[in-house]
Amino acid sequence: MSQVRIFNETDELYRTAAERIAHLSQLAVAREGRFALLLAGGNTPRRLYALLASPIYSIHIDWANTHLFWGDERAVPLSDPKSNYRMVSETLLSRVAVPWQNIRRIEGELPPEKAAERYEEELRQFFGLRGLAQPEGYATRFDLALLGLGADGHAASLFPGSPALQETARLVVAVPEADPPRVTLTLPAFNACAEVLFLAAGAAKAPALAAVLEGPPDLVPPAGRVRPEQGEVLWLVDRAAAALLQQRSHSNE
Ligand code: 6PG
């Protein structure tokens, strides 16, 4: 079951996300000595990353033991404004003390197949996995995955109709049909996370959000297929994105 929180103020949505991240980071570091965080690209999380870098939240996060990963990347050089790594670097990495060894980016400057292969290997090493046939990638247990929602219902670079959605063994694949081509983590990787936090803001996301949360199950867009078997999904959405939702069970803030 997904939990959905609807915010009248978009700023409150970002503050809630920052508080949740700080809280989960403390739990994970206390439990395992590290916090493995999967970051989202796109525009929506920019304000969240800036908030996390601000002293009010930053001091509550043990950056030295935080490990950062990306859920997807565009096949562009680091200098390109479309680079998700570059966006996180500008908003967050340049402002907090994460050790460089803990920053594990997808190499967008490489051919996507190569970058996907190398990132797969990097994830498998980090999580101590051997071989491809892990049951549904279960041991790839990020403590938290942040995700945005595309207006067509995509999440990370899992687009409607993409062959990447069929992947059951690999954790990372290339998405050559995208423009620019991309590299993305797969459903088995996302569905092994301990928690997934989706952020959706703005009216452009309303139809996709309604389709994901309340649409017919056989037509559910890719974002609705992110459902960790042993984890939680929390949607933080603003009033505009929630405009087409019918259910009253979603909590209004
Ligand atoms: C990316 C993303 C992608 C994004 C959605 C929403 O790299 O673009 O990971 O899945 O989250 O497209 O993007 P916006 O936040 O820009 O609307």
Side-chain angles (χ1 to χ4, degrees):
M1 257 304 258
S2 306
Q3 197 198 334
V4 183
R5 296 176 64 180
I6 302 170
F7 295 87
N8 284 322
E9 302 296 332
T10 312
D11 280 349
E12 188 56 25
L13 179 165
Y14 287 108
R15 281 196 290 273
T16 303
E19 278 160 24
R20 183 80 193 145
I21 293 167
H23 176 67
L24 291 176
S25 76
Q26 287 168 5
L27 291 183
V29 172
R31 197 179 53 235
E32 294 162 52
R34 72 172 192 217
F35 177 48
L37 174 63
L38 193 53
L39 298 166
N43 281 316
T44 310
R46 279 175 180 273
R47 278 162 73 186
L48 171 62
Y49 299 153
L51 261 193
L52 288 176
S54 68
I56 185 169
Y57 295 102
S58 178
I59 56 164
H60 296 296
I61 297 173
D62 179 352
W63 293 107
N65 288 306
T66 296
H67 295 258
L68 298 177
F69 300 82
W70 275 253
D72 73 329
E73 184 56 280
R74 294 96 184 268
V76 294
L78 281 176
S79 56
D80 192 305
K82 290 194 283 293
S83 159
N84 281 338
Y85 171 78
R86 181 188 161 116
M87 183 274 283
V88 179
S89 175
E90 288 170 354
T91 51
L92 180 67
L93 304 181
S94 56
R95 302 171 57 200
V96 296
V98 188
W100 64 266
Q101 309 92 304
N102 293 7
I103 299 172
R104 294 178 167 83
R105 70 178 182 89
I106 299 172
E107 296 163 294
E109 66 278 27
L110 297 181
E113 294 289 352
K114 185 76 192 163
E117 227 171 77
R118 284 170 57 95
Y119 209 52
E120 172 103 20
E121 186 51 36
E122 180 141 25
L123 296 187
R124 286 182 182 278
Q125 272 184 16
F126 183 83
F127 290 104
L129 306 178
R130 292 277 168 272
L132 270 184
Q134 294 290 333
E136 296 292 297
Y138 178 66
T140 325
R141 201 156 168 81
F142 292 99
D143 297 300
L144 176 65
L146 298 176
L147 281 173
L149 175 67
D152 60 357
H154 74 261
S157 292
L158 296 168
F159 294 96
S162 171
L165 287 166
Q166 308 310 324
E167 185 59 49
T168 55
R170 294 191 61 100
L171 304 170
V172 191
V173 294
V175 187
E177 72 274 17
D179 181 20
R182 298 185 182 213
V183 175
T184 189
L185 268 62
T186 58
L187 288 171
F190 286 114
N191 286 337
C193 294
E195 179 163 325
V196 176
L197 186 58
F198 272 101
L199 306 179
K205 306 295 170 71
L209 188 65
V212 168
L213 296 175
E214 298 178 348
D218 50 331
L219 294 177
V220 74
R225 296 179 59 186
V226 175
R227 283 185 306 243
E229 272 173 37
Q230 303 193 35
E232 307 295 326
V233 179
L234 174 60
W235 283 87
L236 302 181
V237 307
D238 70 0
R239 175 73 43 210
L244 299 176
L245 297 180
Q246 309 286 331
Q247 270 182 44
R248 298 187 187 280
S249 61
H250 308 317
S251 69
N252 291 283
E253 332 247 334

